[in-house]
Amino acid sequence: MDMHEGQVAVSAEAAARIVAAEFPGWAGLPLAPVLPGGTDNTVFRLGEGFSLRFPLRPGDPGEIGRRLRAEAAAARELSGRTRFATPEPVAIGGPQEGYPLPWAVQTWLPGTPADRLDPGGSTGFALDLAEFVRGVRAVDTRGRAFRGAGRGGRIGDHDAWMRTCLERSEGLLDVPRLRGLWEGMRELPRGGEPDLMCHGDLIPGNLLVRDGRLAGVLDVGGLGSADPALDLVCAWHLLDEGPRHAFREALDSGDREWERGRAWAFQQAMGLVWYYRYSNPAMSRTGRRTLGRIAGAAR
């Protein structure tokens, strides 16, 4: 089942042909789909060292190409800034017969995504996460501030989307309780804290686990300047109560920042439950579990 309206599909056979046409030196390398796939890209592993990412959502090829180049620049900016592995950009391919959009090649990272190997009870993993967040925050903003329309600006700006999520969640979730939680979150003040650099999407599928510790972080193309509370979503998406407390202490997160982080996690989780209910049940379950942690902490 498609996850998005008008989704652009690409098969493994088509991906192999596209790679051979654009990068003949890689023709013949083993190519296999990465399952379950991403929510924004169809992903393949190419050989031992490469990951292919084909955007799922339709759009203007020129604009998508610009976005992929911006994501590659963000990945280069973060590379080596923490001790945790992050994908490095390798190449950007153009539209070919069988796929009408630009696509990207990155380095492949070993490890198991945290949505398949739950590290939520590990304090060591929580401290690794905190170290990664500190490392990202230490990247120089170079005067950049949040300018986007997504998560990372003012929480209250997402009120219309949250009304949609609450309406779509009737029969799926305890909507009256969740509506009450949102009413308390939507007015949370930002305060005077400056924007800092954030990964922007620290969900379980983007965090790799090996031997119970953080091995690497995926989808780093959204690196940018935003509310520093944005990256605290991982505490609610991933961590049980004890490790979550250790994560907060390691970041010395004050009450206002911590509450905004909880609100950003709530805003993201509410969309996951209904939007991916049929097309990506694992993402929907992630949203449910996050909401359960948030509601439990609010008792």
Side-chain angles (χ1 to χ4, degrees):
M1 181 179 180
D2 287 353
M3 284 183 283
H4 313 292
E5 185 176 352
Q7 181 170 307
V8 184
V10 58
S11 66
E13 293 77 13
R17 291 194 300 271
I18 291 166
V19 168
E22 182 113 11
F23 303 106
W26 297 338
L29 287 177
L31 185 147
V34 176
L35 300 173
T39 57
D40 291 316
N41 299 278
T42 301
V43 183
F44 300 93
R45 184 174 184 178
L46 178 67
E48 291 297 313
F50 300 125
S51 171
L52 310 179
R53 296 165 60 84
F54 292 85
L56 284 168
R57 299 176 192 262
D60 173 67
E63 178 57 35
I64 290 174
R66 286 188 288 274
R67 189 190 77 214
L68 293 179
R69 289 190 291 275
E71 290 176 352
R76 284 191 290 269
E77 185 173 7
L78 185 58
S79 180
R81 297 303 300 266
T82 77
R83 67 180 177 89
F84 304 102
T86 55
E88 297 179 14
V90 177
I92 294 175
Q96 297 282 344
E97 182 178 354
Y99 185 75
L101 302 172
W103 48 284
V105 185
Q106 298 179 343
T107 54
W108 175 267
L109 299 186
T112 303
D115 56 358
R116 282 179 262 166
L117 186 62
D118 182 10
S122 169
T123 298
F125 184 86
L127 295 177
D128 288 344
L129 270 181
E131 181 183 343
F132 177 77
V133 171
R134 285 198 306 271
V136 174
R137 288 177 173 183
V139 176
D140 190 352
T141 65
R142 305 200 309 271
R144 290 169 289 186
F146 181 80
R147 295 286 185 269
R151 291 181 300 276
R154 290 182 64 257
I155 292 167
D157 289 346
H158 298 268
D159 205 35
W161 168 246
M162 292 304 296
R163 286 197 299 271
T164 296
C165 290
L166 289 162
E167 290 168 4
R168 296 293 188 95
S169 297
E170 292 284 356
L172 294 175
L173 300 168
D174 184 353
V175 169
R177 174 160 171 72
L178 295 172
R179 183 177 286 112
L181 288 175
W182 176 245
E183 286 302 314
M185 293 174 178
R186 60 191 293 273
E187 300 297 339
L188 285 171
R190 170 63 192 273
E193 305 97 322
D195 286 350
L196 297 176
M197 296 299 278
C198 296
H199 174 281
D201 196 20
L202 292 180
I203 60 174
N206 288 338
L207 298 164
L208 298 175
V209 184
R210 189 168 58 231
D211 299 327
R213 304 300 293 261
L214 181 64
V217 181
L218 304 175
D219 279 359
V220 298
L223 177 76
S225 187
D227 177 0
L230 181 59
D231 276 351
L232 302 184
V233 298
C234 60
W236 303 97
H237 288 320
L238 283 137
L239 301 177
D240 297 340
E241 184 176 1
R244 193 186 316 135
H245 180 72
F247 172 85
R248 180 180 180 179
E249 281 201 328
L251 287 173
D252 194 23
S253 181
D255 289 345
R256 290 196 307 183
E257 180 186 85
W258 190 249
E259 287 303 306
R260 291 200 314 277
R262 187 171 72 109
W264 287 125
F266 183 90
Q267 187 271 354
Q268 187 173 34
M270 283 296 301
L272 298 181
V273 175
W274 67 267
Y275 189 89
Y276 294 112
R277 180 184 182 188
Y278 299 112
S279 62
N280 193 329
M283 286 292 286
S284 183
R285 288 192 296 271
T286 291
R288 283 181 178 273
R289 185 166 63 173
T290 299
L291 293 173
R293 287 185 174 123
I294 290 170
R299 293 193 183 108

